[in-house]
Amino acid sequence: MLGWAVTFLVIALIAAVLGFGGIAGASAGIAKILFFIFVVLFVVAMIARAVRGQPPV
């Protein structure tokens, strides 16, 4: 999922350089949403691992 966020971020940057405002804004928004979903899933995974008694690596 982090790969998708990076992909949409790159698309947004390329579209911004080329002057496509709508596409750049949409891609940046998608990248931002995917990034926050990735962070939430990471935190949930770390909490689940700690609850099971395994130390974070």
Side-chain angles (χ1 to χ4, degrees):
M1 191 175 303
L2 186 59
W4 281 101
V6 171
T7 302
F8 279 106
L9 178 63
V10 169
I11 291 170
L13 292 174
I14 292 171
V17 168
L18 296 176
F20 300 112
I23 296 172
S27 294
I30 293 171
K32 199 181 304 184
I33 290 168
L34 289 175
F35 175 76
F36 285 120
I37 290 172
F38 172 75
V39 169
V40 168
L41 290 175
F42 175 74
V43 170
V44 168
M46 293 304 289
I47 291 171
R49 185 178 175 103
V51 167
R52 284 188 272 144
Q54 299 174 341
V57 176

